[in-house]
Amino acid sequence: MSQKFVTQRRVEFCDTDAAGIVHFASFLCYMEQAEHNFLRSLGLSVSQDQGDGSHLSWPRVHVECDYQDSARFEDVLDIAVNIRRLGQKSITYGFEISRGDDKIATGGVVAVCCKVRSGSPLESAVVPLDFAERLLPFCLE
């Protein structure tokens, strides 16, 4: 069975709309913040220097979010992260956002491993072995 990484996020006033409900786009930020916390917990980052004048980055090529309930200002949300798929050049993250026992939203992000050099176009790259090995315990497949 795979592991899940769980982090918390308190809803800030700026995350809400005029009705006091979390704006739909804020959930994408919550998922990204959870991804960053998850990677940091493994000693990784979404931007890693390669020592050759380039760095690895993870542009998003697909995002999705399905909403089951609403969240409001001051709610404390649990955001669980797992890896739906670890490809040769991409990672598909899965997210479950809840408030206590109430499921609020589920989502996913596909990020492609890219080498970035100043003045050059992005170049897709194979996910480094050490990066992939740290993610394996969280993979669903």
Side-chain angles (χ1 to χ4, degrees), residues 45-122:
S45 175
V46 294
S47 180
Q48 291 189 249
D49 182 50
Q50 297 299 290
D52 63 357
S54 72
H55 67 276
L56 287 185
S57 188
W58 299 88
R60 280 74 173 118
V61 296
H62 176 80
V63 296
E64 62 187 33
C65 192
D66 294 311
Y67 306 93
Q68 288 79 40
D69 201 350
S70 61
R72 297 180 177 274
F73 174 59
E74 295 285 5
D75 283 352
V76 176
L77 304 176
D78 292 314
I79 306 165
V81 182
N82 60 39
I83 306 297
R84 291 182 184 165
R85 181 178 177 278
L86 180 56
Q88 184 179 3
K89 293 185 175 186
S90 67
I91 300 170
T92 303
Y93 293 98
F95 300 91
E96 297 172 1
I97 302 171
S98 59
R99 180 187 53 243
D101 293 332
D102 298 327
K103 185 188 271 187
I104 303 297
T106 56
V109 171
V110 179
V112 174
C113 184
C114 287
K115 188 174 263 197
V116 180
R117 291 183 193 279
S118 181
S120 298
L122 290 178

